[in-house]
Coordinates of all heavy atoms in Angstrom, one line a residue:
M1 N 0.8 -1.2 0.0 CA 0.0 0.0 0.0 C 0.9 1.2 0.0 O 1.9 1.3 0.7 CB -0.9 0.0 1.2 CG -1.9 1.1 1.2 SD -3.4 0.8 2.2 CE -2.9 1.4 3.7
S2 N 0.5 2.2 -0.8 CA 1.2 3.4 -0.9 C 0.7 4.6 0.0 O -0.5 4.8 -0.1 CB 1.3 3.9 -2.3 OG 1.9 5.1 -2.4
D3 N 1.5 5.2 0.8 CA 1.1 6.3 1.6 C 1.1 7.6 0.7 O 2.0 7.7 -0.1 CB 2.0 6.6 2.7 CG 1.8 5.5 3.8 OD1 0.8 4.9 3.9 OD2 2.8 5.3 4.6
R4 N 0.0 8.4 0.8 CA -0.1 9.6 0.0 C -0.4 10.8 0.8 O -1.1 10.7 1.7 CB -1.1 9.4 -1.0 CG -0.8 8.8 -2.3 CD -1.8 9.1 -3.3 NE -1.3 8.5 -4.5 CZ -2.0 8.5 -5.6 NH1 -3.1 9.1 -5.7 NH2 -1.4 8.0 -6.7
L5 N 0.3 11.9 0.4 CA 0.0 13.1 1.1 C -0.6 14.0 -0.1 O 0.0 14.2 -1.1 CB 1.2 13.8 1.6 CG 1.1 15.3 2.1 CD1 0.2 15.3 3.3 CD2 2.4 15.8 2.5
V6 N -1.9 14.4 0.1 CA -2.6 15.2 -0.9 C -2.6 16.7 -0.4 O -3.0 17.0 0.6 CB -4.0 14.8 -1.2 CG1 -4.7 15.6 -2.2 CG2 -4.0 13.4 -1.6
L7 N -1.9 17.6 -1.2 CA -2.0 19.0 -0.9 C -2.9 19.8 -1.8 O -3.0 19.4 -3.0 CB -0.5 19.6 -1.1 CG 0.6 18.9 -0.3 CD1 1.9 19.5 -0.6 CD2 0.3 19.2 1.2
S8 N -3.5 20.8 -1.3 CA -4.5 21.5 -2.1 C -4.0 23.0 -2.0 O -4.0 23.6 -0.9 CB -5.9 21.4 -1.5 OG -6.8 22.2 -2.2
L9 N -3.7 23.5 -3.1 CA -3.3 24.9 -3.2 C -4.5 25.8 -3.6 O -5.2 25.5 -4.5 CB -2.3 25.1 -4.3 CG -1.0 24.3 -4.1 CD1 -0.1 24.5 -5.3 CD2 -0.2 24.9 -2.9
T10 N -4.7 26.9 -2.9 CA -5.7 27.8 -3.2 C -5.5 28.5 -4.5 O -6.3 28.9 -5.2 CB -6.0 28.8 -2.1 OG1 -4.8 29.5 -1.8 CG2 -6.5 28.1 -0.8
S11 N -4.2 28.7 -4.7 CA -3.7 29.3 -6.0 C -2.3 28.9 -6.3 O -1.5 28.9 -5.4 CB -3.8 30.8 -5.8 OG -3.3 31.5 -7.0
P12 N -1.9 28.6 -7.5 CA -0.5 28.2 -7.9 C 0.4 29.4 -7.7 O 1.6 29.1 -7.6 CB -0.6 27.7 -9.4 CG -1.9 28.4 -9.9 CD -2.8 28.6 -8.7
I13 N -0.1 30.6 -7.8 CA 0.8 31.8 -7.6 C 0.1 32.8 -6.7 O -1.1 32.8 -6.6 CB 1.0 32.5 -9.0 CG1 -0.2 33.0 -9.7 CG2 1.9 31.6 -9.9 CD1 0.0 33.8 -10.9
L14 N 0.9 33.5 -6.0 CA 0.4 34.5 -5.1 C 1.1 35.8 -5.3 O 2.3 35.9 -5.6 CB 0.5 34.2 -3.7 CG -0.2 32.9 -3.1 CD1 0.2 32.6 -1.7 CD2 -1.7 33.1 -3.2
T15 N 0.4 37.0 -5.1 CA 1.1 38.2 -5.1 C 2.0 38.3 -3.9 O 1.9 37.6 -3.0 CB 0.1 39.4 -5.1 OG1 -0.6 39.4 -3.8 CG2 -0.9 39.4 -6.2
Y16 N 2.9 39.2 -4.0 CA 3.8 39.3 -2.8 C 3.1 39.8 -1.6 O 3.3 39.4 -0.5 CB 4.9 40.4 -3.1 CG 6.0 40.1 -4.1 CD1 5.9 39.0 -5.0 CD2 7.2 40.8 -4.2 CE1 6.9 38.7 -5.9 CE2 8.2 40.5 -5.1 CZ 8.1 39.4 -5.9 OH 9.0 39.1 -6.7
D17 N 2.1 40.6 -1.8 CA 1.2 41.1 -0.7 C 0.5 40.0 0.0 O 0.5 39.8 1.2 CB 0.3 42.2 -1.1 CG 0.8 43.5 -1.5 OD1 2.0 43.8 -1.0 OD2 0.3 44.2 -2.3
E18 N -0.1 39.2 -0.9 CA -0.9 38.0 -0.3 C 0.0 37.0 0.3 O -0.4 36.4 1.4 CB -1.8 37.4 -1.5 CG -2.7 36.2 -1.0 CD -3.8 36.8 -0.1 OE1 -4.0 37.9 0.2 OE2 -4.5 35.8 0.5
Y19 N 1.1 36.7 -0.3 CA 2.0 35.7 0.4 C 2.5 36.3 1.7 O 2.5 35.5 2.7 CB 3.3 35.5 -0.5 CG 4.2 34.5 0.0 CD1 4.0 33.2 0.0 CD2 5.3 34.9 0.8 CE1 4.9 32.2 0.5 CE2 6.2 34.0 1.3 CZ 6.0 32.7 1.2 OH 6.9 31.8 1.7
A20 N 2.8 37.6 1.8 CA 3.4 38.2 3.0 C 2.2 38.1 4.1 O 2.4 37.8 5.2 CB 3.7 39.6 2.8
R21 N 1.0 38.4 3.7 CA -0.2 38.3 4.6 C -0.3 36.9 5.2 O -0.5 36.7 6.4 CB -1.5 38.8 3.9 CG -2.7 38.9 4.9 CD -3.9 39.2 4.1 NE -4.4 38.1 3.3 CZ -5.0 37.0 3.8 NH1 -5.2 36.9 5.1 NH2 -5.4 36.0 3.1
L22 N -0.4 35.9 4.3 CA -0.5 34.6 4.7 C 0.6 34.1 5.7 O 0.4 33.2 6.6 CB -0.6 33.7 3.5 CG -2.0 33.8 2.7 CD1 -1.9 32.9 1.4 CD2 -3.1 33.4 3.5
Q23 N 1.8 34.6 5.4 CA 2.9 34.1 6.2 C 3.2 35.0 7.4 O 4.1 34.7 8.2 CB 4.2 34.1 5.3 CG 4.1 33.0 4.2 CD 4.0 31.6 4.7 OE1 4.7 31.2 5.6 NE2 3.0 30.9 4.1
G24 N 2.5 36.0 7.6 CA 2.6 37.0 8.8 C 4.0 37.8 8.6 O 4.6 37.9 9.6
Q25 N 4.3 38.0 7.4 CA 5.6 38.8 7.1 C 5.3 40.1 6.5 O 4.2 40.4 6.1 CB 6.5 38.0 6.1 CG 6.9 36.6 6.5 CD 7.7 35.9 5.5 OE1 7.7 36.2 4.3 NE2 8.5 35.0 6.0
K26 N 6.2 41.0 6.5 CA 6.2 42.2 5.8 C 6.5 42.1 4.3 O 7.4 41.1 4.0 CB 7.2 43.3 6.4 CG 6.8 43.5 7.9 CD 7.8 44.6 8.5 CE 7.4 44.7 9.9 NZ 8.4 45.3 10.7
V27 N 5.9 42.8 3.5 CA 6.1 42.7 2.0 C 7.6 42.9 1.7 O 8.2 42.3 0.9 CB 5.2 43.7 1.2 CG1 5.6 43.7 -0.3 CG2 3.8 43.4 1.5
K28 N 8.3 43.9 2.4 CA 9.7 44.1 2.2 C 10.5 42.9 2.4 O 11.6 42.6 1.8 CB 10.2 45.3 2.9 CG 10.4 45.1 4.4 CD 11.0 46.3 5.1 CE 11.1 45.9 6.5 NZ 12.1 46.7 7.2
D29 N 10.1 42.0 3.4 CA 10.9 40.8 3.7 C 10.7 39.8 2.6 O 11.6 39.1 2.2 CB 10.3 40.2 5.0 CG 10.8 41.1 6.2 OD1 11.8 41.8 6.1 OD2 10.0 41.1 7.2
V30 N 9.4 39.7 2.0 CA 9.2 38.9 0.8 C 10.0 39.3 -0.3 O 10.7 38.5 -1.0 CB 7.7 38.9 0.5 CG1 7.5 38.1 -0.8 CG2 6.9 38.3 1.6
V31 N 10.0 40.7 -0.6 CA 10.9 41.2 -1.7 C 12.3 40.8 -1.5 O 13.0 40.4 -2.5 CB 10.6 42.8 -1.8 CG1 11.7 43.4 -2.8 CG2 9.3 43.1 -2.2
N32 N 12.8 41.0 -0.3 CA 14.2 40.6 0.0 C 14.4 39.1 -0.2 O 15.6 38.7 -0.8 CB 14.6 41.0 1.4 CG 14.7 42.5 1.5 OD1 14.9 43.3 0.6 ND2 14.6 43.0 2.8
A33 N 13.5 38.2 0.2 CA 13.7 36.8 0.0 C 13.7 36.4 -1.5 O 14.5 35.6 -1.9 CB 12.5 36.1 0.7
V34 N 12.9 37.2 -2.3 CA 12.9 36.9 -3.7 C 14.2 37.3 -4.3 O 14.9 36.6 -5.1 CB 11.7 37.6 -4.4 CG1 11.9 37.6 -6.0 CG2 10.4 37.0 -4.0
A35 N 14.7 38.5 -3.9 CA 15.9 39.1 -4.5 C 17.1 38.2 -4.1 O 18.0 38.1 -4.9 CB 16.1 40.5 -3.9
S36 N 17.1 37.5 -2.9 CA 18.2 36.7 -2.6 C 18.0 35.3 -3.1 O 18.9 34.4 -2.8 CB 18.4 36.7 -1.0 OG 17.3 36.1 -0.4
G37 N 16.9 34.9 -3.8 CA 16.7 33.6 -4.3 C 16.1 32.6 -3.4 O 16.2 31.4 -3.7
R38 N 15.6 33.1 -2.2 CA 15.0 32.1 -1.3 C 13.6 31.8 -1.6 O 13.0 30.8 -1.0 CB 15.1 32.7 0.1 CG 16.6 32.8 0.6 CD 16.7 33.2 2.1 NE 15.7 34.2 2.4 CZ 16.0 35.5 2.7 NH1 17.2 35.9 2.6 NH2 15.0 36.3 3.0
L39 N 12.9 32.5 -2.5 CA 11.6 32.3 -2.8 C 11.4 32.2 -4.4 O 12.0 33.1 -5.1 CB 10.6 33.4 -2.4 CG 10.2 33.4 -0.9 CD1 9.3 34.6 -0.6 CD2 9.4 32.1 -0.5
P40 N 10.8 31.2 -4.9 CA 10.7 31.1 -6.3 C 9.6 32.0 -6.9 O 8.5 32.2 -6.2 CB 10.3 29.6 -6.6 CG 9.6 29.3 -5.4 CD 10.3 30.0 -4.2
T41 N 9.7 32.5 -8.1 CA 8.8 33.4 -8.6 C 8.3 32.9 -10.0 O 8.9 32.1 -10.7 CB 9.3 34.8 -8.8 OG1 10.5 34.8 -9.7 CG2 9.7 35.5 -7.5
Y42 N 7.2 33.5 -10.4 CA 6.6 33.3 -11.7 C 6.5 34.6 -12.3 O 5.8 35.5 -11.7 CB 5.3 32.5 -11.6 CG 4.6 32.5 -12.9 CD1 4.9 31.7 -14.0 CD2 3.4 33.4 -13.1 CE1 4.2 31.7 -15.2 CE2 2.8 33.4 -14.4 CZ 3.1 32.6 -15.4 OH 2.4 32.6 -16.5
T43 N 7.0 34.7 -13.6 CA 6.8 36.0 -14.3 C 5.9 35.7 -15.5 O 6.3 34.9 -16.4 CB 8.1 36.6 -14.7 OG1 9.0 36.7 -13.6 CG2 7.9 37.9 -15.4
P44 N 4.7 36.2 -15.6 CA 4.0 35.9 -16.8 C 4.5 36.5 -18.1 O 5.3 37.4 -18.0 CB 2.6 36.7 -16.5 CG 2.7 37.5 -15.2 CD 4.1 37.1 -14.7
P45 N 4.2 35.8 -19.2 CA 4.7 36.3 -20.5 C 4.3 37.7 -20.7 O 3.2 38.2 -20.2 CB 4.1 35.4 -21.5 CG 3.6 34.2 -20.8 CD 3.3 34.7 -19.4
C46 N 5.2 38.5 -21.3 CA 4.9 39.8 -21.7 C 4.9 40.1 -23.1 O 5.4 39.4 -23.9 CB 5.8 40.8 -21.0 SG 7.6 40.7 -21.4
A47 N 4.2 41.2 -23.6 CA 4.2 41.6 -25.0 C 5.6 42.0 -25.4 O 6.3 42.4 -24.6 CB 3.1 42.7 -25.2
P48 N 5.8 41.9 -26.7 CA 7.2 42.3 -27.1 C 7.6 43.8 -26.8 O 8.7 44.0 -26.7 CB 7.0 42.1 -28.7 CG 5.9 41.1 -28.9 CD 5.0 41.3 -27.7
H49 N 6.6 44.6 -26.7 CA 6.9 46.0 -26.5 C 7.1 46.3 -25.0 O 7.6 47.4 -24.6 CB 5.8 46.9 -27.0 CG 4.5 46.8 -26.3 ND1 3.6 45.8 -26.6 CD2 3.9 47.5 -25.3 CE1 2.6 45.9 -25.8 NE2 2.8 46.9 -25.0
E50 N 6.9 45.3 -24.2 CA 7.0 45.5 -22.7 C 8.4 45.2 -22.2 O 9.1 44.3 -22.7 CB 6.0 44.6 -21.9 CG 4.5 45.1 -22.0 CD 3.7 44.2 -21.3 OE1 3.5 43.0 -21.6 OE2 3.1 44.6 -20.2
N51 N 8.8 45.9 -21.2 CA 10.1 45.6 -20.6 C 9.9 44.4 -19.6 O 9.1 44.6 -18.6 CB 10.6 46.9 -19.9 CG 11.9 46.6 -19.1 OD1 12.4 45.5 -19.1 ND2 12.5 47.7 -18.6
P52 N 10.5 43.3 -19.8 CA 10.3 42.1 -18.9 C 10.6 42.4 -17.4 O 10.0 41.9 -16.5 CB 11.2 41.0 -19.4 CG 11.5 41.5 -20.8 CD 11.5 43.0 -20.9
A53 N 11.5 43.4 -17.2 CA 11.9 43.7 -15.8 C 10.8 44.4 -15.1 O 10.7 44.5 -13.9 CB 13.2 44.5 -15.8
R54 N 9.9 45.0 -15.8 CA 8.7 45.8 -15.2 C 7.4 44.9 -15.1 O 6.5 45.4 -14.6 CB 8.6 47.0 -16.0 CG 9.8 47.9 -16.0 CD 9.4 49.3 -16.6 NE 8.2 49.9 -16.0 CZ 8.3 50.9 -15.1 NH1 9.4 51.3 -14.7 NH2 7.2 51.4 -14.5
V55 N 7.5 43.7 -15.6 CA 6.3 42.8 -15.5 C 6.2 42.3 -14.0 O 7.1 41.9 -13.4 CB 6.4 41.7 -16.5 CG1 5.3 40.7 -16.3 CG2 6.4 42.1 -18.0
K56 N 4.9 42.4 -13.5 CA 4.7 42.0 -12.2 C 5.0 40.5 -12.0 O 4.6 39.7 -12.8 CB 3.2 42.3 -11.8 CG 2.9 41.9 -10.3 CD 1.4 42.3 -10.1 CE 1.1 42.1 -8.6 NZ -0.2 42.7 -8.3
K57 N 5.8 40.2 -10.9 CA 6.2 38.8 -10.6 C 5.3 38.4 -9.4 O 4.8 39.1 -8.7 CB 7.6 38.8 -10.1 CG 8.6 39.1 -11.3 CD 10.0 39.2 -10.8 CE 11.0 39.4 -11.9 NZ 10.8 40.7 -12.6
Y58 N 5.2 37.1 -9.3 CA 4.4 36.4 -8.3 C 5.1 35.3 -7.6 O 6.1 34.8 -8.2 CB 3.2 35.8 -8.9 CG 2.2 36.7 -9.7 CD1 2.4 37.1 -11.0 CD2 1.2 37.3 -9.0 CE1 1.6 38.0 -11.7 CE2 0.3 38.2 -9.6 CZ 0.5 38.5 -11.0 OH -0.3 39.4 -11.5
I59 N 4.8 34.9 -6.4 CA 5.4 33.9 -5.7 C 4.8 32.5 -6.3 O 3.6 32.4 -6.4 CB 5.1 33.9 -4.1 CG1 5.6 35.3 -3.6 CG2 5.8 32.7 -3.5 CD1 7.1 35.5 -3.7
N60 N 5.7 31.6 -6.7 CA 5.4 30.4 -7.4 C 5.1 29.3 -6.3 O 6.1 28.8 -5.8 CB 6.4 30.0 -8.4 CG 6.1 28.8 -9.2 OD1 5.3 27.9 -8.7 ND2 6.6 28.6 -10.3
M61 N 3.9 29.1 -5.9 CA 3.6 28.2 -4.8 C 3.9 26.8 -5.1 O 4.3 26.0 -4.3 CB 2.2 28.4 -4.3 CG 1.9 29.8 -3.7 SD 2.9 30.2 -2.4 CE 2.4 29.0 -1.1
V62 N 3.7 26.5 -6.4 CA 3.9 25.0 -6.9 C 5.4 24.7 -6.7 O 5.8 23.8 -6.2 CB 3.5 24.8 -8.3 CG1 3.8 23.4 -8.8 CG2 1.9 25.0 -8.4
A63 N 6.3 25.6 -7.1 CA 7.7 25.4 -7.0 C 8.1 25.4 -5.5 O 9.0 24.6 -5.2 CB 8.4 26.6 -7.8
L64 N 7.5 26.3 -4.7 CA 7.8 26.2 -3.3 C 7.5 24.9 -2.7 O 8.2 24.4 -1.9 CB 7.1 27.5 -2.7 CG 7.5 27.8 -1.3 CD1 9.0 28.2 -1.3 CD2 6.7 29.0 -0.7
Y65 N 6.3 24.3 -3.0 CA 5.9 23.1 -2.4 C 6.8 21.9 -3.0 O 7.2 21.1 -2.2 CB 4.4 22.7 -2.8 CG 3.4 23.3 -1.9 CD1 3.2 24.7 -1.8 CD2 2.7 22.4 -1.0 CE1 2.2 25.1 -0.9 CE2 1.8 22.8 -0.2 CZ 1.5 24.3 -0.1 OH 0.6 24.7 0.8
A66 N 7.2 22.0 -4.2 CA 8.2 21.1 -4.7 C 9.6 21.1 -4.0 O 10.1 20.0 -3.7 CB 8.4 21.3 -6.2
E67 N 10.0 22.3 -3.7 CA 11.3 22.5 -3.0 C 11.1 21.9 -1.6 O 12.0 21.2 -1.1 CB 11.7 24.0 -2.8 CG 12.2 24.5 -4.1 CD 12.5 26.1 -4.0 OE1 12.7 26.5 -2.9 OE2 12.6 26.7 -5.0
A68 N 10.0 22.1 -0.9 CA 9.7 21.6 0.4 C 9.7 20.1 0.4 O 10.3 19.4 1.3 CB 8.5 22.2 1.0
A69 N 9.1 19.5 -0.6 CA 8.9 18.1 -0.7 C 10.3 17.5 -0.9 O 10.7 16.5 -0.3 CB 8.0 17.7 -1.8
K70 N 11.1 18.0 -1.8 CA 12.5 17.5 -2.0 C 13.3 17.5 -0.8 O 14.0 16.7 -0.4 CB 13.1 18.4 -3.1 CG 14.5 17.8 -3.5 CD 15.0 18.7 -4.6 CE 16.4 18.2 -5.0 NZ 17.0 18.9 -6.1
A71 N 13.2 18.7 0.0 CA 14.0 18.9 1.2 C 13.6 17.8 2.3 O 14.3 17.4 3.1 CB 13.8 20.2 1.8
A72 N 12.3 17.3 2.2 CA 11.8 16.3 3.2 C 11.9 14.9 2.6 O 11.4 14.0 3.1 CB 10.3 16.6 3.5
N73 N 12.7 14.8 1.4 CA 12.8 13.5 0.8 C 11.5 12.8 0.4 O 11.3 11.6 0.6 CB 13.6 12.5 1.6 CG 15.1 13.0 1.8 OD1 15.6 13.5 0.8 ND2 15.6 12.8 3.0
L74 N 10.5 13.6 0.0 CA 9.3 13.1 -0.5 C 9.2 13.1 -2.0 O 9.7 14.0 -2.7 CB 8.1 14.0 0.0 CG 8.0 14.0 1.5 CD1 6.9 15.0 1.9 CD2 7.6 12.7 2.1
D75 N 8.5 12.2 -2.6 CA 8.3 12.1 -4.0 C 7.2 13.0 -4.3 O 6.0 12.9 -3.9 CB 8.0 10.6 -4.5 CG 7.8 10.6 -6.0 OD1 8.5 11.3 -6.7 OD2 7.0 9.7 -6.4
F76 N 7.4 14.1 -5.2 CA 6.4 15.1 -5.5 C 6.0 14.9 -6.9 O 6.8 14.9 -7.8 CB 7.0 16.4 -5.3 CG 6.1 17.6 -5.5 CD1 5.1 18.0 -4.5 CD2 6.2 18.3 -6.6 CE1 4.3 19.0 -4.7 CE2 5.3 19.5 -6.9 CZ 4.4 19.7 -5.9
Q77 N 4.7 14.7 -7.1 CA 4.1 14.5 -8.4 C 3.0 15.6 -8.6 O 2.2 15.7 -7.7 CB 3.6 13.1 -8.7 CG 4.8 12.1 -8.7 CD 4.2 10.7 -8.8 OE1 2.9 10.5 -9.0 NE2 4.9 9.7 -8.7
I78 N 2.9 16.1 -9.8 CA 1.8 17.1 -10.1 C 0.8 16.3 -10.9 O 1.1 15.7 -11.8 CB 2.3 18.3 -10.8 CG1 3.4 19.1 -10.0 CG2 1.3 19.2 -11.3 CD1 4.0 20.2 -10.6

């Protein structure tokens, strides 16, 4: 028999503000964590005339759960 852990994400991506609220952190701490590479982000595709650096980024919750599963030696499947 196989043991399974089923996770349900309310959203695969979160704004910095929403992630900070859910984690009880300040937005500036989330921004710093992203800048230092501690939090994975998702950047939506942009139009050719847009500057990619100015496109709003989101916290990638799927990648974050995958990192946590790997750190816990769990097999993570989507």
Side-chain angles (χ1 to χ4, degrees):
M1 183 155 91
S2 172
D3 291 335
R4 272 191 177 186
L5 173 64
V6 178
L7 300 174
S8 176
L9 298 173
T10 56
S11 177
I13 59 173
L14 294 175
T15 64
Y16 287 18
D17 290 336
E18 184 64 9
Y19 181 82
R21 184 187 71 77
L22 290 171
Q23 296 300 317
Q25 298 178 340
K26 295 179 180 161
V27 176
K28 70 175 185 159
D29 294 331
V30 174
V31 171
N32 290 337
V34 168
S36 67
R38 293 188 319 254
L39 282 175
T41 60
Y42 167 74
T43 305
C46 62
H49 67 278
E50 289 181 290
N51 179 353
R54 297 189 55 102
V55 174
K56 185 174 184 174
K57 294 176 179 58
Y58 298 87
I59 302 300
N60 185 336
M61 296 305 292
V62 174
L64 194 59
Y65 273 70
E67 287 177 20
K70 184 177 178 183
N73 294 321
L74 298 173
D75 183 29
F76 184 78
Q77 297 178 4
I78 297 176

